[in-house]
Amino acid sequence: MMKKLGSLHENLDFKIYQELKSMILERKLKPGDKLYQDRIARDFGVSRTPLMCALKKLEQEKLIQAIPRRGFFVRKFSKEEIIHIFELREVLEGLAARRAAIHGTTVQLQKIKSFFKQFKNLYEEIDVKQYSDEDQSFHNYITQVGGLDLLQSIVRNYNIITFSYRLDFMEGLIRHPRETMGEHLAIIDAILSRQPEKAEEEMRNHLKWSRQRLAEDDKKTR
Amino acid sequence: MMKKLGSLHENLDFKIYQELKSMILERKLKPGDKLYQDRIARDFGVSRTPLMCALKKLEQEKLIQAIPRRGFFVRKFSKEEIIHIFELREVLEGLAARRAAIHGTTVQLQKIKSFFKQFKNLYEEIDVKQYSDEDQSFHNYITQVGGLDLLQSIVRNYNIITFSYRLDFMEGLIRHPRETMGEHLAIIDAILSRQPEKAEEEMRNHLKWSRQRLAEDDKKTR
DNA sequence: TATTTTTACATTGAATACAATATACAAATA
DNA sequence: TATTTGTATATTGTATTCAATGTAAAAATA
């Protein structure tokens, strides 16, 4: 007799947590918005107890800010913080890329090889939104293959990759595909040819250059 | 009239959270122990509502494991996970060391210079416990000076440094001060002389060698 | 009118109460 | 006796209730 996995029952607070999280990431809840417990609990059709737990979790992830006896507010991310996130991505995804080159299975490497296929013809017009999505999937997958549980849970918990593609202060990509396409291919190539040091370096440079572009734009707009 | 800071009131759940966390880190609660909400709430003299919130936070930090409808259990950390933690420390503290060399103030650098002073006479007998504490303080301080908010909160939240000094499977240090003392001085030197790349490299190597020693011991004890 | 004080109301934080599920032990069956 | 089934109890997850605090608007004062 096969036993059903206990982790399949999800508690209410986890469902609310996920729902609120995606509402924040999709900008249905905007930075500065106050989260009225009463109203949200009513909307979701639950009591304030599991909702409170969900809010505390979101606070820990820095998605919302709690002020005692005042309430919870959706956080705003400054450009400076986003630059810091990129600085972290450099080392974290660098590690993931290195490990992917060492530990990635043949099947995983095949999948890595398949990214950006539809954009390889540089003479065609590139759909920027589509490229951005592919970009995000690519970085997520490398992180997944890189495979340290702890690394993955940090990246997921703090929405480190997600935030890089949902910037408050700008639309679209930080750099044009013309610029980043080659870097992506270099990363893929290094992983496929099992060169861990090179994979780490290429990944780090790729993200460093994006960070530097962000920092430049930052200076200009002051 | 000066208003008192709102953040000074701490909520009850935060106090319980801190108390439980230190009990786990100090091994008053041991891996595998079940956390009975009723009993703990009674012991602390609070209701189960804030306790539940505290438990959820600890779950997010992976200090305890929640099984729905069954309860919360103190987690056990395998040697493999500790090795992974060191792998993360390599890149995270490497970044911190690099940034410390760039952004550290004169005062901060003076303090960094003062670490390990009492152990510099290698002919004297070294108190291993004392050295271990100094070691931990040193790594914490570099991380603090390195200064990205997000980096710090990751390191604190996941108890990344703390765990490295509280190993389930062994007592005391991974390597003898004879071995690590020189590495520590090299890191300090690189930061004081404002060599970011060197500081990062020295820090990464220092942690990599400890990780490799752990991995070796791991093989032996199988 | 501008500023302070009072008061009513809204909202949060925590305790209690209740329902759903899991555990443990006894009874029943093969 | 070993295994299954049923039942009592313990424990968790959620809703409800209550008290403390914050907010905002009206009344009182200068």
Side-chain angles (χ1 to χ4, degrees), chain B residues 10-13 45-50 68-70:
Chain B
E10 278 168 5
N11 293 338
L12 215 37
D13 64 279
V46 299
S47 81
R48 277 175 46 223
T49 309
R69 292 273 162 203
R70 295 262 234 101

Side-chain angles (χ1 to χ4, degrees), chain B residues 184-197:
Chain B
H184 285 138
L185 295 180
I187 295 165
I188 292 172
D189 190 62
I191 294 174
L192 291 184
S193 59
R194 302 283 188 192
Q195 295 177 273
E197 302 304 324

Side-chain angles (χ1 to χ4, degrees), chain A residues 98-191:
Chain A
R98 171 154 51 92
R99 285 182 54 89
I102 298 171
H103 301 291
T105 65
T106 319
V107 175
Q108 289 173 324
L109 261 50
Q110 276 308 310
K111 173 149 181 189
I112 289 175
K113 192 179 177 182
S114 76
F115 276 97
F116 297 106
K117 272 270 160 68
Q118 71 263 47
F119 304 104
K120 276 190 175 162
N121 187 349
L122 286 169
Y123 298 99
E124 276 179 34
E125 191 68 19
I126 286 177
D127 180 329
V128 171
K129 167 84 177 89
Q130 223 179 319
Y131 184 86
S132 171
D133 287 348
E134 181 85 349
D135 193 355
Q136 191 171 349
S137 304
F138 174 69
H139 283 278
N140 272 316
Y141 191 67
I142 300 288
T143 305
Q144 196 185 313
V145 174
L148 289 170
D149 273 355
L150 187 55
L151 171 63
Q152 267 183 274
S153 78
I154 288 172
V155 170
R156 224 178 320 111
N157 249 311
Y158 286 95
N159 313 292
I160 283 179
I161 294 180
T162 313
F163 271 132
S164 309
Y165 298 88
R166 306 250 167 97
L167 307 181
D168 283 311
F169 44 84
M170 66 176 285
E171 272 298 315
L173 291 165
I174 295 166
R175 293 187 290 151
H176 195 273
R178 261 195 300 283
E179 235 179 302
T180 54
M181 188 65 201
E183 294 164 23
H184 286 138
L185 294 180
I187 295 165
I188 291 172
D189 190 62
I191 293 174

Side-chain angles (χ1 to χ4, degrees), chain A residues 13 16 36-42 45-55, chain B residues 49 53:
Chain A
D13 63 278
I16 304 165
Y36 291 94
Q37 296 180 15
D38 218 4
R39 190 170 140 53
I40 295 171
R42 212 153 18 83
V46 299
S47 81
R48 278 174 46 222
T49 310
L51 171 61
M52 184 68 125
C53 275
L55 291 172
Chain B
T49 309
C53 275

